[in-house]
Structure formats: C-alpha cells, structure tokens
Amino acid sequence: HNRSRSEGLVVHLAADTEALSSWQRPGQILGNNLLSTIQVLEFCRESSCKLIFASTSLAGLTPTKKKHNDIVGLSSLSPYHASKNIGENLCYYYHTTYGLNIAILRIFSVYGLGQRGSSLIPTVVRQTFSDCPEIVVRSTRPRRDFIHVDDVVDAIVTLSKGTKGYEELEIGTGIATSVREVIEIVQRHAGTNKPVIETETNNSGDEQIVVSRRSNVRSSQWNPKIGLYEGIGSLVSSEFGEVNEV
C-alpha cells in the first residue's frame, strides 16, 4: 500500500443512535450503521486516510468478555450498541489487514445544546422548567459518566493529531453521577423542588454503573474541562435565560 503521501483524516460520527427504539427495528439500525462504517473504511483504505471512529462506552465486547463490573455483556446490548461493537471489529479488521491507522473513541453519556429531546437531561430540564407538578423518569438509580459535547469535540481534535496504529480510547470524565443527582442539579439551577416519580422501580439493571476508567496513556493527552453542574447550567441558560446560581 502506498503511504508516501501525507495521510488525510476522516472522523466518522454518522449513525442512527436511537438505542431504545432500536430494539423494535434491529435490521434497520444494524444495516444503516454497519453499511456507513464499511463505506467509510473503504474510502480510508482507497485514500490512505486515518480514521477516528466514534463508538460507545458499551462497545468492546466479545462473546466471553463483559464490561462495567461484569454486568454488561453482548446479550444485553441494544441493536444500536451492537452495531458499534461490530463496527469496532470491522475497524480492527481493516487495521490488521490493510494497515489503516484507526483510533476508536468510546464516548460516554454525551449531553449539551442540541441534544435529542428524548434523552435524559433534556427530559429533566423540560419537566423542571414547565408547569409539570412533578418530574417523571424511569429510574433514579442508574449512574452514568456525563460528558459535555464541547469536551467531546476537544477530545476528537486533540487525539486525532497522534492517531497511529490501532487505539481504543475512553472519552469520559471518570465521574459517575446518578439520575437522581442530575435531577437535583437541574432543580438547583431552576430554584425548584418538584417531587420525582419513578415509573420502573423493579429494574434489575438499575444499579449498573457506566463510568470511564481513562486508563489509556493517550487519553491523558486530553482532559475534560466542563463539570456537570456548569454544563447543565449553560444548557438551561441557553434555553431559558437566567438560572439560579445557588
């Protein structure tokens, strides 16, 4: 393969990311996401480009390997998360077979302005700042690693500069925050104290903690700058103007 000319760079972010609805349309999600990934890999192979592949914190699994305290396995992945898991395997194949330089970015729970309204933080913000008498969520117990979209962009820009070989990098803060804590942060900004209603109180996966280890050496070249309280504050101020700074 001719690598004499300077390599270009492709950042592959495109995907159908509706994890919840993907259970009802697995063929469509898997087909769309895998076909787009194959097309990108083929372009990189033919054009000698480096690749940044945006993946998910729940990827990197095999039939015998689990993650996050052995709770998350292949059988528990939604079709969306499965498409990312298979996408990583395709990336590794193209690296070992065709010598592509690829960095896998396993991105944790992204939030920020422009996020889909059905996601957790926009849902909580909307209910908090509306006339709703209460805040309704599925469960308050799951703990996630919330990372602001601006920090994700910064990670992509920073880590793309040294992409060589094949790397798997975790993009998160390393801090686990529960759904209940997210609601408390939003209500502090709003100056409200609405009751919280859970619709699913017997979910066996409620205690699952998904948090970045940030143990890879290359990950240390980048550090998140926006804390969750600050990030949610900027989000609600953009949507609703003045917020409570208590």
Side-chain angles (χ1 to χ4, degrees):
H1 306 286
N2 182 9
R3 303 278 178 176
S4 58
R5 61 188 177 87
S6 177
E7 286 185 316
L9 172 70
V10 174
V11 179
H12 180 28
L13 300 171
D16 188 330
T17 61
E18 278 282 5
L20 190 60
S21 67
S22 71
W23 290 104
Q24 281 70 53
R25 49 191 185 98
Q28 181 182 353
I29 294 286
L30 288 163
N32 288 346
N33 291 353
L34 293 177
L35 178 58
S36 65
T37 298
I38 291 170
Q39 290 173 332
V40 168
L41 286 165
E42 277 293 283
F43 175 84
C44 290
R45 180 181 68 84
E46 295 170 357
S47 305
S48 299
C49 288
K50 297 185 291 186
L51 173 63
I52 300 289
F53 178 68
S55 188
T56 168
S57 60
L58 297 183
L61 300 173
T62 68
T64 58
K65 178 183 177 183
K66 293 186 176 183
K67 296 183 71 176
H68 305 299
N69 297 323
D70 287 334
I71 295 175
V72 181
L74 277 179
S75 62
S76 62
L77 292 183
S78 72
Y80 160 68
H81 292 103
S83 75
K84 288 297 186 179
N85 198 66
I86 298 169
E88 287 193 12
N89 291 333
L90 289 171
C91 287
Y92 186 71
Y93 175 79
Y94 270 74
H95 162 69
T96 56
T97 306
Y98 301 107
L100 266 63
N101 292 316
I102 300 175
I104 305 293
L105 302 190
R106 291 181 181 151
I107 304 170
F108 282 68
S109 299
V110 186
Y111 72 97
L113 196 62
Q115 186 176 16
R116 183 184 292 110
S118 58
S119 299
L120 172 65
I121 290 179
T123 297
V124 172
V125 169
R126 183 172 60 252
Q127 293 182 87
T128 302
F129 283 84
S130 72
D131 294 331
C132 296
E134 57 200 18
I135 297 171
V136 181
V137 294
R138 293 173 62 189
S139 173
T140 62
R141 291 181 289 280
R143 300 174 66 83
R144 299 291 181 266
D145 187 337
F146 293 96
I147 178 79
H148 195 277
V149 63
D150 288 355
D151 280 329
V152 173
V153 172
D154 185 51
I156 292 171
V157 172
T158 300
L159 297 174
S160 66
K161 296 174 183 176
T163 300
K164 188 174 183 179
Y166 180 85
E167 302 177 290
E168 297 169 351
L169 307 172
E170 295 193 346
I171 306 303
T173 65
I175 301 171
T177 304
S178 70
V179 173
R180 181 169 294 280
E181 290 170 320
V182 168
I183 295 171
E184 290 172 353
I185 290 173
V186 175
Q187 295 222 72
R188 285 172 62 191
H189 281 299
T192 59
N193 188 28
K194 294 184 179 183
V196 179
I197 306 298
E198 296 178 275
T199 60
E200 297 181 11
T201 57
N202 296 315
N203 191 330
S204 60
D206 274 348
E207 300 301 330
Q208 177 184 319
I209 300 175
V210 179
V211 61
S212 168
R213 295 167 298 174
R214 305 203 63 233
S215 56
N216 187 284
V217 173
R218 273 258 288 149
S219 294
S220 65
Q221 297 176 7
W222 160 85
N223 285 295
K225 300 179 179 65
I226 303 173
L228 186 57
Y229 186 86
E230 175 191 354
I232 290 178
S234 65
L235 174 63
V236 298
S237 64
S238 297
E239 294 282 352
F240 301 99
E242 291 291 327
V243 296
N244 187 3
E245 296 298 334
V246 175

